[in-house]
Amino acid sequence: MAAERLACVSVDLDSLHHYCRIHGLPESELPAGAAELVHAVALPRFLELCAGRSVPLTLFAVGEDLANERCARAVQQAHRAGAEVANHSGRHDYALTRRTREQMHLDVEQGETAIQEVTGARPWGFRAPGYTLTAALYQVLQDRGYRYDSSVFPAAPYWAAKAAVMGGMRLFGRRSSAVLDTPRVLLAPRQPYRPDPSSPYARGGGAVVELPITTAGVTRFPFIGTYAATLPRPAVRALYRSARGQPFFNFELHGIDLLDEADGIPPALARVQRDARVPVALKRARLRDVLGWLGDDYRLVTLAGAAETVGRTSGGV
Ligand SMILES: [Zn+2]
């Protein structure tokens, strides 16, 4: 890994009803058509943006979203255009890691089957809903022959903010379906590694390579689409500079990063999901900058491509 600097760009295709669930809003708030916005409107924007910069794209699709015909068609077209389609679980259950082993198997399989039906290819990568990985879930991925997982997100401010928001929501009597991860994740490696199957936030000899999501600088600030697309440009540039010393860069985006209220995101959701109020034109320009910087500093590959290189070049990265 040391010889080659690799970067990956991935988009989690969580449809808007998953955002309603995390913010404790009734899904009935979503008007007709909003369920397809991420796949039918945002995804083609990502494909266009990445094609313009020759960036290979990895998509994380949720199985149940693909039951919607427009969503399925959009993912199929992305696959045909060369995107890797990986598994973001069957139902985007934030409490997946609290289910039984059998339930986890079934949920991962549900995502896998839905993707295979749409693209004709089985997914080799997985990202857990809410970024939470446990020994039991890791074992499921090993058993199902996954080549990589990309759930580990060792971002201190993210963890602290999530703890505070969930505490605040409880205070006001609203329930989020989010699950707070163990603080052990903050000590997880920031570069690709082979996890210890009994404790996957630590190094070991597991068969499924972990490709952590990039955090910036000593503060471990989450360098993800939500911030890269909405913070002032000098702040994004400074964050990028503090992250680019790392030989592997895993830039994580969400479909909602290229949507705004004008696309039809309901006001009740935009009130709590504040990046939805930033115009798409501004977010697109910011993301175009970041993709340009990544292209200057790294060789851009899909996450499956990165996992293959990591697997080839080391037994324990
Ligand atoms: Zn997600």
Side-chain angles (χ1 to χ4, degrees), residues 12 14 88 92 254:
D12 297 358
D14 307 15
H88 195 25
H92 208 276
H254 284 88

Side-chain angles (χ1 to χ4, degrees), residues 14-15 17-19 21-22 27 61-65 87-108 110-111 126-134 137 151 162 175-180:
D14 307 15
S15 61
H17 63 263
H18 303 299
Y19 289 90
R21 287 178 200 169
I22 202 163
E27 290 173 46
V62 177
E64 72 172 18
D65 291 344
N87 187 358
H88 195 25
S89 82
R91 297 185 302 116
H92 208 276
D93 174 7
Y94 288 102
L96 179 62
T97 50
R98 295 187 179 169
R99 310 297 178 203
T100 65
R101 175 80 63 90
E102 180 59 21
Q103 286 169 326
M104 286 187 223
H105 259 291
L106 289 173
D107 187 83
V108 173
Q110 182 190 340
F126 184 80
R127 178 167 289 152
Y131 313 109
T132 309
L133 184 63
T134 57
L137 181 56
S151 306
K162 193 171 174 184
R175 265 195 72 231
S176 170
S177 50
V179 166
L180 192 63

